[in-house]
Amino acid sequence: MMGYMSITRAGCAALDAADPISDFRDEFVLPDGIVYLLGNSLGALPRRTAARVAHTVTAEWGQDLGASWNTAGWWDLPQTTGDRIAPLIGAGPGEVLAGDSTSVTIFKALAAALALRPGRSVIVSDVENFPSDQYVVQGAAQAFDREIREIGSDADLANALGPDVAVVLLSHVNYRTGAVRNMAEVTAMVQASGALMIWDLCHSTGALPVDVTGVDFALGCTYKYLNGGPGAPAYIYVAPRHQKAARNVISGWHGHASPFDFEPGYEPAPGVRRFAVGSPPVLSYAALNASLEIWEKVDMRSVRAKSVALTELFIELTEHLGLELATPRDPVERGSQVSYRHPEGYPVMRALIDMGVHGDFRAPDLIRFGFAPLYLRYVDVYDAANTLAEVLSKELWREARYQRRLTVT
């Protein structure tokens, strides 16, 4: 540790000059005067996205019309996009399907896993899972007459497992604290009990290397670190060994083996395609694929190395402020975010955003900063830390306008 007194902005600029992935910053639209530490919630806009979406609208839709289902590959977008995502999570071709929202995808994975473990009545979920995960678990338990067993740590998980557990749903990276689980070890523990393992990778994909080898199901969103845009399609990974037997509870037309035979009965498509449901949102796929063009050039080891360096720098520059660090101090145990606890976290974050540093607030008391290595610079981290210090030392957050809660925090 250098200590914040010995870190200078010039030193951070030197780190930027030596950064092997610094050129990727030019791929993104970043407004002047903004330090964007919200890539773990909504990624920045890739420069190429607007042109890609415009082409889909004006040429593929506007000129070629319905022919584009064939000529522009619209029909196959769930599979072709899934294949582009697959290398980012350690999966292979034909193992990932892109489509639907994260919540719908969680439900599909849970339902399939439960059907593969008949006679087992328990779904294990972490109380620290994102609320969407918890809500979907509650809905699935009610729909399929199952029991929920909640845990608060991996130690709890070991005690929760047993012959009655059908499936375990956990987040690889904790959305509040950024704590990372050991995917291989946890998966092995769960499967040794006879249960199936589902991983939520929403805060992992595009932030650190992921390897789904050996897991049963995984899913994630694409609008955070992958920069797919607001409402971008989610994705699901289905292990090849499960693809023949796994059933998609939402048996939609696009998951049919021969949809254009227009048969009255449902016959699931082979492979991961059976997890498709309805018409792919073509414009959203266009935006996502524009970003994935960038990710195909990225070395995830370099991304992870810079992520560790950026988060370490931010912690060193801010730990003297007296805030309670909620994120693991050991970089091996954290994702690409830093979270602090503050009793007035909401107005603190509102004041920060007004001063050009964009993070977010998570109730009841977390101020959260996400570090997207492709476009974030070391000088940005330096400036953000100084701004946080100013907001706290001058108590700018006390202004009345910051006390009113906005709809989205």
Side-chain angles (χ1 to χ4, degrees), residues 51-69:
R52 171 62 63 83
V53 174
H55 174 80
T56 302
V57 171
T58 59
E60 295 175 5
W61 179 15
Q63 297 300 313
D64 297 338
L65 300 166
S68 287
W69 286 107

Side-chain angles (χ1 to χ4, degrees), residues 7-187:
I7 301 173
T8 65
R9 197 175 192 281
C12 290
L15 291 174
D16 287 323
D19 176 14
I21 61 173
S22 62
D23 288 348
F24 283 107
R25 180 177 171 85
D26 294 335
E27 294 277 2
F28 296 90
V29 176
L30 296 162
D32 292 338
I34 298 296
V35 176
Y36 193 65
L37 300 181
L38 200 53
N40 58 333
S41 184
L42 176 65
L45 170 68
R47 292 188 183 278
R48 64 185 68 198
T49 298
R52 171 62 63 83
V53 174
H55 174 80
T56 302
V57 171
T58 59
E60 295 175 5
W61 179 15
Q63 297 300 313
D64 297 338
L65 300 166
S68 287
W69 286 107
N70 291 306
T71 60
W74 285 0
W75 180 263
D76 294 322
L77 280 170
Q79 291 169 287
T80 58
T81 307
D83 282 346
R84 299 183 88 171
I85 294 169
L88 296 171
I89 62 171
E95 297 176 4
V96 178
L97 189 82
D100 301 313
S101 69
T102 305
S103 296
V104 171
T105 304
I106 293 169
F107 187 81
K108 291 193 295 185
L110 278 170
L114 289 170
L116 290 172
R117 288 295 181 267
R120 290 177 173 240
S121 59
V122 175
I123 304 169
V124 173
S125 178
D126 189 350
V127 294
E128 285 290 309
N129 278 343
F130 191 78
S132 181
D133 299 52
Q134 298 184 54
Y135 304 156
V136 175
V137 166
Q138 292 164 17
Q142 183 176 19
F144 302 114
D145 193 24
R146 298 300 202 274
E147 173 191 344
I148 302 170
R149 188 171 298 159
E150 292 188 324
I151 63 169
S153 68
D154 290 350
D156 291 343
L157 175 60
N159 295 326
L161 295 172
D164 57 348
V165 175
V167 59
V168 177
L169 170 64
L170 298 176
S171 297
H172 184 220
V173 174
N174 185 299
Y175 83 100
R176 292 179 182 273
T177 68
V180 180
R181 281 190 161 100
N182 187 312
M183 182 180 292
E185 288 184 2
V186 173
T187 298

